[in-house]
Amino acid sequence: MSHPLLTTVANNATTMSEDKRCLEERNWYVFFCSSLITFFTGLLFVLTWRILSWLVCQKNGAKDEKKDDLSKTVDAEVGWVTEAKDWAGELISGQTTTGRILVVLVFLLSIASLIIYFLDTTENVESCEEWAKSTTQQVDLAFNIFFMIYFFIRFVAAPEKLCFLIELYSIVDYCTIPPSFVAIYLDRNWLGFRFTRALRLKTIPDVLQYLNILKTSNSIRLCQLVSTFISVWFTGAGFVHLVENSGEIFNDFKNSTKKTYWECVYFTLVTMSTVGYGDIYCETTIGRLFMVFFILGALAMFAGFIPEIADIISSRSKYGGSFKKERGKRHIVLCGHITYESVSNFMSDFLHKDREDVDVKLVIMNRKEPDLELEGLFKRHLTQVEFFQGTVMDANDLHRVNVKEGDACLVLANKYCEDPDAEDAANILRVISIKNYHDDIKVIIQLLQYHNKSYLLNIPSWDWKRGDDAVCLAELKLGFIAQSCLAPGFSTLLANLFTMRSYKLSPDMPQWQNDYMRGTGMEMYTECLSPALHGLTFPEAAEACFLKLKLLLIAVESRAEDGSESNICINPGPNVKIDANTRGFFFAESADDVKRVLYYCKLCHGDASDFKIVKKCRCKTIVTPKKTGLNHLCRQEKPSASDHDYVPFLNLNGKKTSPQNRKGGPDRFGNSFSNLSLKALMSEQRPDASYKDFFAKKSSSPAGAAPLVNYKSLNRWKVDIHTDPASDPRKFDSTGMFHWCPAQAMSSSIITREQAAMTVLSNHVVVCLFADSHSAVIGLRNLIMPLRASNFEYDELKHVLLVGDKEYIRKEWKSICNFPKISILGGSPLNRANLRAVHINMCDMCVILSARNSSGDDSNLVDKEAILCSLNIKAMAFDDTHGLLQTNAHGGPAFLPPGHGLASQTPVTSKSAKCGVTSGNDIPMVTELGNDANVQFLDQDDDDDPDTELYMTQPFACGTAFAVSVLDSLMSTTYFNDNALTLIRTLITGGATPELEQILAEGVGMRGGYVTPESTANRDRCRVAQIALYEGPFAQFGDGRKYGELFAYALRTFGILAIGLYRFRDSTSTITLNPCAKRYVITNPPDDLPLLSSDKVFCLRPFEIVERQPPAQRKKRKRRGKNSNDPTGDG
């Protein structure tokens, strides 16, 4: 019995001897000839077909009598062939889903066949392995059958059969398909030219394009270069592997060397790169001959392809990827004018720590790569900002930044461009592209010109109710400046409210800077009100919030139950009561602070003396309805407004106030709100003149005083020029929001220097314009509209004098010709004679505007005219101004030129002109700047560092400078609060409405409207005002009293809502000694701030001033009346 091990060895030896005997006779030529025969057979078939077709055509041409019959036959045959060709062409071109699947399947099977080849290279080049026992041969045959079918489909679809037979992929099929059938017949395997399947790698770019993976030209070209290089590389390695392992074919296969396929891959790459280490080389004659030609072609390809590949990779932007949204996290897209300045200004406000929720990813897209400065900014906010290179005009780029899932898309404008209209047109086109890609996305756009807002209405998917909005810089900038004409410094106050800033008090800073910086830390927020405040009137709720919760409530928004409509009311008065659908607009230092109005609970916080402990308690739950978006508090009894005739206002000392409600119980909050005692306050002596006299009459100025602005009357802003409207009964525009007059010819409003000098001008507004006929439109309508709001009486309107180039004003006259009280003086504002002629020392405000025609100069020079004008005015001196403006004995203006229109106006009785200032440095002025850094040149006596931020400079703090850059924060403010922009726009424009914008979009200007109850009701809205404490009904608070006392008294007595102070920078200044000294703005002062008699109060005053008396005082007077009627004197 033989041993098993010996048996196995014997069997192996027998197998080896059989293989050796089998390989003694090589049959490689059979495999090779099968490929040649296939090729030449196909070639012969095509040539035969062509010859026969040519003979048939010649025969048909010779027999004219049979032409028609043969044509019909040919046409029939051509139709059938064409139909088959079209079917085959669609099948292989990827035009249909079936075709795309077929193309991808051919590629995948080619790769699979190539892998099988790699596996078979581990064996000999030719082996006597039986086909039935070889799995790899069986699988490869199945693949080749599929390739053969695909070959015939391609053949049918080919328009030129002969060219098809000799194209690259046809040769690959000749080399791989016929040998697989020969292997079955011979029961042996030959690797042969199966390596040519590597050439199929060149189809990778086509396949990836069918799969929509490759989209850009660079990516397609890169894929073509790489796939061609790899396919040639692998094909060359396969040929070297074949000839080197086979040996000398014509010398009995001698000199064969055993080289693996991957060694040949290494060898060909080293050879292509001209390195040639020499560790592996060709030893056969055919191999060396092949390398001679391979080096020539491969070296040229290597030298051409590699640099191009490197160039594409190096030029490929690192910002060319796609945004991958994190689950549960929102993102917005920022586009348009992307620079370091614009993005840093936006991000400083958008990502401010005081915001309640900044968990929003900022995705920025721009066509250009960011510069080093901007790139550094992105790195400092790596987790919050992501940049992509592209344009929103391309749908592919919009897909890359995932606009469809974005929360909003913001478009920034270039504020310093040469052509504002072109910039607006470009940004509006960006909005169209964004809305065309996804019409539900919320879009907020910056516009430079007001008249371009009308084009947004032409976009079908533009919807204001959805949150789409336009931040018009001209409208807002000039609106801010217009309000400063009514209340100097108001532009600074409001700008500080919608800009996110933090402040730190420092003992090293002057007191005025600490007071101002505290105000800069205030921002505007919206929040729902606690049920403890439901049922209160607006004045009651406003005082409660300010004195108890240290929050300033300025407006409320009431939504319908379904959330479809909302109404915003600014200081609406006692007619509006707080309910569950009411949301308030507050001034506070942070979002956490404003939460106090939501968390306030009468049970938990009623006796609290410290507002900081007002936090969310356990006795209530917060419910946020999805429809209205308002926060409601449950499990707390809603008080009834009917239970209270008057809600007592409480004090800060922690003691309960004596006034009781009508039922005799304690007050609603159970404790006091301020140190202000209602009884003590109501017992204060009134000023000598009653409040009615103050609000209605004009009082004299102190002797020798020259007030900065003559605010001697809240209801009567007296001027010495009256331009009574014509006999047209229409006094207001069609919306009832603005004073209106019939269109005036520009020539009737132009006055000469002599006429202006001889005209009584006082309490007017002088506008210095630096623009010419070629300048871009500034938008004077936005400046004059707030000054012509209908919530002013006609006599209160300030006359506006435009000083500048008449040709430029002619460009804008169409938009302002329907406003009354406008005059034009042609000439340069730098000419002192022009300034003296318009009595600039008697004006209430001087506004300096510039169109900023950029001519490629230094950006610091864009404000050169405005700065020179400002310094020129400050250097002027005036004398005998009061005597010049004395009125004549008949009460009419003195020194009027005969026959001038102004002289024939209705005389003004019982009024004296404002006393002018003697120094140009004391003239109230607002200078609009284009470059923030230029603010340092406005005040030569300030000590601001050149690198100081704009809001921290003295001119801005005093309200004498305004820059459009402060409006950058409105983009993020509008995103976080849909109604913030509406509130600001309503406050500063004087009441511009969507209805008015629709009218202006028609391009015919404002239309007049008749006085109706509706238009009259529109006049009843609050307006910005400034009240002095050195005279009038508030004079009692100017001697050391607290701001909280003034706040409560003004609100409950006159319905006036105080929002800030305008105080002398130098605490030693007084009205008598320094009436025109510099003042600074204190935004939302604390209630315990001591008041000075020289202070002026920023306030929101109602249209009509009506004195209201608390019930306590009414009851007291009633008891006194009863006692006086008692004949016995008892009781």
Side-chain angles (χ1 to χ4, degrees):
M1 188 176 210
S2 61
H3 194 275
L5 181 60
L6 296 176
T7 304
T8 302
V9 171
N11 291 337
N12 290 339
T14 304
T15 302
M16 292 177 61
S17 60
E18 291 179 354
D19 290 342
K20 189 175 182 180
R21 286 195 301 270
C22 178
L23 293 176
E24 287 180 355
E25 183 180 356
R26 299 294 183 94
N27 293 331
W28 63 270
Y29 57 89
V30 179
F31 294 92
F32 182 67
C33 290
S34 65
S35 299
L36 293 178
I37 292 172
T38 303
F39 170 70
F40 286 111
T41 301
L43 190 62
L44 181 61
F45 174 78
V46 171
L47 291 176
T48 303
W49 177 265
R50 285 200 168 188
I51 293 172
L52 292 177
S53 299
W54 180 78
L55 292 176
V56 170
C57 291
Q58 291 294 326
K59 184 178 180 181
N60 291 339
K63 298 181 179 180
D64 296 334
E65 66 277 5
K66 299 182 179 179
K67 182 176 180 179
D68 296 336
D69 296 337
L70 290 175
S71 297
K72 293 179 181 179
T73 305
V74 172
D75 290 341
E77 292 179 355
V78 169
W80 175 83
V81 172
T82 302
E83 184 178 353
K85 184 185 296 184
D86 292 341
W87 170 81
E90 292 179 0
L91 201 59
I92 66 173
S93 65
Q95 296 179 9
T96 61
T97 303
T98 305
R100 286 192 290 270
I101 294 175
L102 181 61
V103 171
V104 174
L105 186 60
V106 168
F107 170 76
L108 294 177
L109 294 183
S110 297
I111 299 300
S113 179
L114 186 61
I115 293 174
I116 294 175
Y117 166 75
F118 292 155
L119 296 176
D120 287 346
T121 56
T122 57
E123 304 293 337
N124 294 328
V125 173
E126 187 175 353
S127 61
C128 294
E129 185 178 6
E130 294 183 6
W131 184 88
K133 298 180 179 180
S134 177
T135 306
T136 57
Q137 291 188 59
Q138 295 172 2
V139 174
D140 191 56
L141 177 64
F143 291 165
N144 283 320
I145 293 174
F146 177 82
F147 294 144
M148 183 174 62
I149 297 173
Y150 186 65
F151 175 86
F152 285 118
I153 296 175
R154 289 168 49 229
F155 178 80
V156 172
E160 187 62 39
K161 310 299 183 185
L162 188 61
C163 294
F164 169 78
L165 293 178
I166 58 176
E167 70 175 14
L168 179 63
Y169 297 126
S170 299
I171 295 176
V172 171
D173 289 335
Y174 301 147
C175 296
T176 55
I177 296 176
S180 62
F181 291 96
V182 174
I184 302 175
Y185 177 77
L186 296 179
D187 265 345
R188 62 173 59 198
N189 185 27
W190 184 58
L191 292 179
F193 299 107
R194 286 166 56 189
F195 58 81
T196 55
R197 284 290 175 197
L199 295 174
R200 276 284 178 184
L201 294 174
K202 293 183 63 177
T203 61
I204 291 179
D206 299 330
V207 173
L208 296 181
Q209 289 181 73
Y210 289 146
L211 298 177
N212 205 25
I213 297 176
L214 296 181
K215 298 178 181 179
T216 63
S217 59
N218 279 346
S219 61
I220 295 173
R221 180 56 180 165
L222 179 63
C223 189
Q224 287 176 344
L225 293 174
V226 173
S227 60
T228 302
F229 178 80
I230 293 176
S231 61
V232 173
W233 176 20
F234 279 17
T235 302
F239 188 83
V240 172
H241 175 268
L242 174 64
V243 297
E244 289 298 306
N245 284 275
S246 298
E248 298 288 353
I249 299 178
F250 304 106
N251 194 14
D252 199 19
F253 302 100
K254 295 181 180 179
N255 200 23
S256 63
T257 55
K258 188 67 174 179
K259 291 184 177 69
T260 66
Y261 177 77
W262 302 111
E263 288 177 342
C264 296
V265 170
Y266 163 76
F267 165 68
T268 51
L269 181 61
V270 170
T271 304
M272 291 168 65
S273 61
T274 70
V275 176
Y277 289 117
D279 52 345
I280 300 177
Y281 53 91
C282 290
E283 299 183 13
T284 62
T285 303
I286 298 179
R288 292 175 178 176
L289 186 62
F290 168 76
M291 291 309 299
V292 170
F293 296 99
F294 182 78
I295 289 176
L296 294 176
L299 179 60
M301 184 190 68
F302 189 89
F305 280 22
I306 297 302
E308 188 174 357
I309 292 173
D311 183 60
I312 293 176
I313 294 177
S314 62
S315 64
R316 189 176 184 182
S317 174
K318 59 182 177 181
Y319 304 107
S322 299
F323 174 70
K324 297 180 180 179
K325 183 177 180 180
E326 300 178 15
R327 187 175 182 181
K329 191 170 184 178
R330 297 178 297 165
H331 78 280
I332 67 170
V333 179
L334 185 67
C335 59
H337 182 64
I338 304 298
T339 62
Y340 175 79
E341 180 185 3
S342 63
V343 174
S344 59
N345 289 340
F346 175 82
M347 289 174 55
S348 62
D349 192 84
F350 185 83
L351 302 176
H352 198 275
K353 61 181 180 181
D354 285 351
R355 291 206 182 275
E356 176 187 10
D357 182 15
V358 290
D359 190 25
V360 181
K361 190 83 170 184
L362 182 58
V363 180
I364 302 176
M365 171 165 281
N366 192 34
R367 182 181 294 275
K368 297 181 180 179
E369 287 190 2
D371 54 24
L372 296 178
E373 194 175 22
L374 188 57
E375 191 173 16
L377 179 66
F378 295 154
K379 290 180 180 179
R380 290 193 295 273
H381 299 84
L382 186 62
T383 60
Q384 298 168 302
V385 180
E386 201 165 344
F387 181 87
F388 294 93
Q389 188 174 9
T391 172
V392 293
M393 300 302 297
D394 189 348
N396 293 326
D397 290 335
L398 290 173
H399 177 74
R400 287 171 51 212
V401 295
N402 203 357
V403 166
K404 289 186 177 180
E405 297 185 22
D407 208 36
C409 189
L410 280 62
V411 184
L412 299 180
N414 180 8
K415 301 183 292 293
Y416 313 112
C417 64
E418 297 184 14
D419 190 349
D421 288 319
E423 177 70 12
D424 284 348
N427 285 332
I428 292 174
L429 194 59
R430 291 186 176 100
V431 174
I432 295 174
S433 175
I434 295 168
K435 285 291 189 178
N436 187 51
Y437 179 77
H438 185 55
D439 55 3
D440 291 332
I441 186 71
K442 173 182 176 181
V443 177
I444 303 174
I445 178 178
Q446 260 188 354
L447 290 179
L448 302 180
Q449 299 290 355
Y450 179 77
H451 58 266
N452 291 326
K453 290 178 66 175
S454 60
Y455 299 117
L456 293 172
L457 305 177
N458 299 331
I459 304 176
S461 54
W462 181 268
D463 188 359
W464 303 94
K465 296 181 180 180
R466 188 184 298 158
D468 298 334
D469 218 331
V471 179
C472 181
L473 299 183
E475 174 191 22
L476 297 172
K477 173 188 67 177
L478 296 176
F480 274 83
I481 294 175
Q483 294 300 330
S484 289
C485 297
L486 304 173
F490 183 77
S491 60
T492 296
L493 182 144
L494 193 57
N496 287 335
L497 287 173
F498 63 76
T499 305
M500 286 289 176
R501 299 189 180 108
S502 299
Y503 74 96
K504 291 183 180 179
L505 300 181
S506 172
D508 299 331
M509 295 173 60
Q511 181 60 38
W512 78 268
Q513 280 189 313
N514 282 328
D515 291 340
Y516 170 72
M517 291 302 295
R518 181 191 176 276
T520 63
M522 295 291 170
E523 291 94 27
M524 185 184 300
Y525 298 93
T526 59
E527 189 55 81
C528 299
L529 283 74
S530 165
L533 302 175
H534 293 175
L536 293 179
T537 63
F538 177 84
E540 295 168 354
E543 185 172 356
C545 292
F546 183 77
L547 299 177
K548 176 68 178 179
L549 305 177
K550 313 304 180 188
L551 302 172
L552 178 57
L553 174 65
I554 68 161
V556 290
E557 177 199 16
S558 180
R559 287 184 179 270
E561 290 294 337
D562 57 357
S564 58
E565 295 182 358
S566 65
N567 184 28
I568 298 177
C569 299
I570 304 173
N571 188 19
N575 296 328
V576 173
K577 292 188 177 182
I578 307 300
D579 58 22
N581 290 329
T582 303
R583 183 165 54 174
F585 291 80
F586 297 91
F587 294 169
E589 293 186 11
S590 67
D592 292 335
D593 290 347
V594 82
K595 285 293 182 183
R596 291 195 291 265
V597 75
L598 174 63
Y599 296 149
Y600 179 78
C601 174
K602 179 177 66 176
L603 299 177
C604 301
H605 310 127
D607 297 327
S609 58
D610 186 4
F611 65 91
K612 294 182 179 179
I613 68 172
V614 179
K615 298 184 182 297
K616 185 178 179 180
C617 58
R618 297 182 178 179
C619 62
K620 57 189 176 183
T621 57
I622 299 179
V623 181
T624 305
K626 293 183 178 179
K627 288 185 178 181
T628 63
L630 303 177
N631 294 332
H632 300 280
L633 303 182
C634 302
R635 299 181 57 191
Q636 195 157 316
E637 190 175 351
K638 179 179 178 180
S640 173
S642 62
D643 294 342
H644 300 271
D645 179 25
Y646 173 77
V647 178
F649 300 101
L650 312 167
N651 47 48
L652 293 173
N653 56 14
K655 298 180 181 179
K656 296 182 179 180
T657 55
S658 55
Q660 304 293 321
N661 60 24
R662 190 166 59 180
K663 292 186 177 182
D667 62 77
R668 179 168 303 200
F669 298 94
N671 75 319
S672 61
F673 278 175
S674 73
N675 289 323
L676 175 63
S677 171
L678 178 65
K679 183 177 180 180
L681 182 60
M682 289 293 103
S683 64
E684 290 284 353
Q685 293 295 325
R686 299 277 182 140
D688 293 338
S690 67
Y691 85 96
K692 293 183 178 179
D693 294 334
F694 178 82
F695 291 127
K697 76 168 186 131
K698 183 248 175 222
S699 58
S700 302
S701 300
L708 178 66
V709 179
N710 185 21
Y711 289 108
K712 301 187 179 80
S713 169
L714 287 177
N715 278 341
R716 295 280 188 260
W717 305 96
K718 298 296 185 181
V719 296
D720 288 319
I721 293 181
H722 290 278
T723 307
D724 291 338
S727 58
D728 195 315
R730 295 173 293 176
K731 311 298 182 184
F732 305 99
D733 73 307
S734 57
T735 64
M737 305 299 285
F738 297 95
H739 286 274
W740 181 90
C741 69
Q744 310 169 71
M746 181 175 167
S747 58
S748 64
S749 298
I750 296 177
I751 59 176
T752 64
R753 184 189 302 172
E754 292 74 17
Q755 290 173 333
M758 300 299 291
T759 303
V760 175
L761 294 172
S762 178
N763 303 94
H764 55 295
V765 176
V766 178
V767 181
C768 299
L769 295 173
F770 289 94
D772 54 37
S773 59
H774 303 291
S775 301
V777 175
I778 296 175
L780 294 178
R781 176 167 54 192
N782 302 120
L783 175 66
I784 297 177
M785 277 178 64
L787 302 177
R788 298 295 177 263
S790 61
N791 53 0
F792 290 98
E793 297 292 347
Y794 182 80
D795 289 341
E796 297 174 337
L797 301 180
K798 295 179 181 292
H799 200 95
V800 178
L801 270 147
L802 306 177
V803 182
D805 183 71
K806 288 187 290 187
E807 293 303 319
Y808 170 78
I809 298 176
R810 194 179 306 277
K811 292 171 57 177
E812 296 219 35
W813 183 250
K814 184 179 179 180
S815 64
I816 61 177
C817 63
N818 292 112
F819 294 118
K821 297 187 179 182
I822 299 177
S823 298
I824 302 170
L825 175 62
S828 172
L830 292 174
N831 189 329
R832 290 192 178 187
N834 292 334
L835 298 176
R836 293 185 187 276
V838 298
H839 302 290
I840 195 169
N841 61 319
M842 304 290 291
C843 71
D844 275 352
M845 183 59 67
C846 175
V847 178
I848 303 176
L849 301 176
S850 173
R852 288 193 302 278
N853 294 327
S854 177
S855 57
D857 296 335
D858 187 355
S859 60
N860 293 320
L861 300 180
V862 296
D863 301 313
K864 52 185 181 293
E865 294 95 349
I867 295 173
L868 290 177
C869 182
S870 175
L871 298 179
N872 182 45
I873 294 174
K874 292 178 180 179
M876 295 176 66
F878 306 89
D879 58 353
D880 195 25
T881 54
H882 184 70
L884 177 65
L885 295 172
Q886 290 294 324
T887 55
N888 59 20
H890 299 284
F895 304 108
L896 290 179
H900 190 264
L902 298 177
S904 61
Q905 296 166 5
T906 304
V908 183
T909 60
S910 303
K911 54 178 291 194
S912 60
K914 169 183 174 178
C915 296
V917 299
T918 58
S919 172
N921 200 47
D922 297 331
I923 295 175
M925 193 182 318
V926 175
T927 305
E928 187 246 334
L929 298 176
N931 192 326
D932 294 358
N934 290 332
V935 72
Q936 60 180 313
F937 305 120
L938 290 179
D939 278 343
Q940 300 299 311
D941 58 343
D942 63 13
D943 54 357
D944 291 327
D945 187 88
D947 296 329
T948 304
E949 292 187 63
L950 175 67
Y951 79 96
M952 298 178 64
T953 60
Q954 290 187 35
F956 187 80
C958 297
T960 60
F962 188 82
V964 70
S965 62
V966 302
L967 301 178
D968 289 339
S969 303
L970 274 178
M971 292 292 286
S972 53
T973 301
T974 305
Y975 165 71
F976 284 106
N977 188 346
D978 293 342
N979 294 316
L981 183 61
T982 303
L983 176 69
I984 294 172
R985 188 185 291 124
T986 303
L987 194 60
I988 68 172
T989 61
T993 61
E995 178 187 358
L996 178 61
E997 291 185 355
Q998 290 279 5
I999 295 174
L1000 296 178
E1002 298 296 327
V1004 295
M1006 300 179 67
R1007 297 196 295 262
Y1010 293 96
V1011 177
T1012 63
E1014 291 77 11
S1015 64
T1016 303
N1018 287 339
R1019 301 186 66 191
D1020 188 10
R1021 61 189 192 276
C1022 76
R1023 68 174 189 253
V1024 177
Q1026 197 175 69
I1027 306 176
L1029 296 187
Y1030 55 80
E1031 62 177 350
F1034 301 150
Q1036 56 186 315
F1037 297 97
D1039 299 320
R1041 300 289 291 272
K1042 303 296 184 183
Y1043 177 77
E1045 297 176 312
L1046 170 65
F1047 181 90
Y1049 177 76
L1051 189 60
R1052 69 170 66 119
T1053 307
F1054 303 114
I1056 296 175
L1057 181 64
I1059 59 176
L1061 292 176
Y1062 202 38
R1063 174 169 291 184
F1064 280 132
R1065 193 183 66 181
D1066 185 358
S1067 59
T1068 62
S1069 300
T1070 62
I1071 288 296
T1072 303
L1073 299 178
N1074 308 87
C1076 299
K1078 292 182 179 179
R1079 295 176 179 266
Y1080 68 96
V1081 175
I1082 305 178
T1083 306
N1084 188 20
D1087 59 348
D1088 57 352
L1089 179 72
L1091 296 174
L1092 303 177
S1093 59
S1094 59
D1095 288 342
K1096 294 185 178 181
V1097 182
F1098 293 105
C1099 60
L1100 302 175
R1101 55 149 293 180
F1103 175 61
E1104 294 182 352
I1105 301 295
V1106 178
E1107 184 182 24
R1108 295 188 289 270
Q1109 294 182 353
Q1113 191 172 8
R1114 292 202 299 267
K1115 292 177 181 179
K1116 183 177 180 180
R1117 292 182 178 179
K1118 186 176 181 180
R1119 288 196 300 269
R1120 288 179 179 177
K1122 289 182 178 180
N1123 293 339
S1124 63
N1125 296 329
D1126 189 355
T1128 63
D1130 299 334

